[in-house]
Amino acid sequence: MFIGRSKELETLEKLYHQNSFQFVVIYGRRRIGKTTLINEFIKGKKAVFYPSIDSNIKQNLELFSNSVLSSLTDIPVNTTFKNFEDIFEYIYQTAKNERFILAIDEYPYLANCYHGISSLLSAFIDHKFQNSRLMLILCGSSLSFMENQVLGYQSPLYGRRTAQMKIAPFTYKECSQYYKNFERKELALAYGVTGGIPLYMSK
C-alpha cells in the first residue's frame, strides 16, 4: 500500500501529461521514500527504471543495457550496448513518437564511475531529447552531489531540469497512517525514533 507523497505524485503526473520533454531531479537523504515514489509513479506507464550501482563502468553499462532491453524489447537481457551513447540514442528513438520515462536511481553512483555521463546527457538533452516525448528522472541520495553536480551552476546539466523535488521526511500525520495499530504514546515514540521515515520503507 502506498501512503503519502500526494503532492509529489500530482506534480509528476502533471509533467507526464504535458507530453513534452521533461527533466525531473529528485533527491533526499537515504531511506526517505524516493525509490518508492518513482516506482509508484511509473506503474502502468512505459518506462525504464535503472538503479545505478556503486561499481565500475562495465558493470553499470551491462545492467543499464539489461534494464532497457528487458523493458522495451524481446532481445535477450545478456545483450549489452556498446556504450552509453548507444543507450541514449535507443532511448531517443523510442521516445520520439511516444511518451516514455527513463528513471535513473542513485545517479551519483553512475556519475562517479563514468565522469562524462552528465556531459553526455546534456548533449542529448540539447540536441535530441528536448525534441522528444521523453520524461527523464534523475534521483540521488547524496544531497551535496545532487545540489552541486546536477543542479549547480558548474554542472553540465545546469539549467536543463524542468522540475526538482527535495523529498522531506513524513509528517506525524502521514506516519500515523503507517502505524495504525499504535497507541498515541507508541506512535509519538516511533515518530521520534524514525524521524518520519517508516522503518520498512525503501530508499
Side-chain angles (χ1 to χ4, degrees):
M1 180 173 59
F2 185 83
I3 295 174
R5 307 299 183 202
S6 56
K7 291 183 179 179
E8 290 87 349
L9 274 177
E10 182 181 357
T11 296
L12 290 171
E13 289 291 347
K14 285 182 179 178
L15 293 170
Y16 179 81
H17 288 291
Q18 287 183 20
N19 217 24
S20 58
F21 172 70
Q22 300 294 328
F23 172 24
V24 184
V25 178
I26 298 176
Y27 65 111
R29 61 192 179 95
R30 294 188 183 282
R31 301 196 62 79
I32 208 163
K34 303 182 299 299
T35 300
T36 304
L37 169 65
I38 294 172
N39 283 327
E40 180 68 17
F41 166 63
I42 66 176
K43 281 182 180 178
K45 300 178 177 70
K46 189 165 187 176
V48 167
F49 176 83
Y50 176 59
S52 307
I53 62 171
D54 188 10
S55 184
N56 54 45
I57 296 177
K58 181 177 182 293
Q59 192 169 12
N60 271 288
L61 179 61
E62 290 173 353
L63 294 174
F64 200 165
S65 297
N66 290 346
S67 293
V68 171
L69 295 175
S70 63
S71 297
L72 301 178
T73 75
D74 294 323
I75 298 174
V77 295
N78 58 351
T79 304
T80 303
F81 285 94
K82 183 173 64 177
N83 51 46
F84 286 99
E85 184 173 2
D86 285 354
I87 292 181
F88 293 144
E89 179 63 30
Y90 188 86
I91 294 294
Y92 167 64
Q93 294 298 328
T94 301
K96 280 200 301 186
N97 299 311
E98 63 179 319
R99 195 50 155 166
F100 174 71
I101 302 167
L102 170 62
I104 303 177
D105 198 9
E106 292 302 349
Y107 179 71
Y109 286 155
L110 182 59
N112 284 333
C113 79
Y114 176 28
H115 294 163
I117 193 71
S118 292
S119 294
L120 181 61
L121 266 177
S122 174
F124 265 85
I125 290 171
D126 291 347
H127 300 293
K128 295 191 174 185
F129 288 164
Q130 68 176 353
N131 299 315
S132 74
R133 295 164 67 184
L134 177 68
M135 184 171 186
L136 172 65
I137 299 174
L138 298 185
C139 180
S141 299
S142 172
L143 300 185
S144 60
F145 184 97
M146 298 300 290
E147 290 174 345
N148 297 321
Q149 302 302 318
V150 175
L151 297 170
Y153 180 76
Q154 68 272 36
S155 170
L157 295 168
Y158 176 76
R160 290 167 176 80
R161 61 104 178 92
T162 55
Q164 67 186 68
M165 299 179 183
K166 185 175 183 180
I167 307 301
F170 282 114
T171 63
Y172 180 86
K173 181 179 180 180
E174 289 170 327
C175 279
S176 68
Q177 297 177 61
Y178 282 93
Y179 304 117
K180 291 182 178 180
N181 297 324
F182 280 31
E183 298 292 338
R184 182 172 298 180
K185 289 182 179 180
E186 294 174 321
L187 176 60
L189 178 60
Y191 183 73
V193 170
T194 64
I197 305 174
L199 295 176
Y200 52 85
M201 287 193 61
S202 62
K203 294 179 286 185

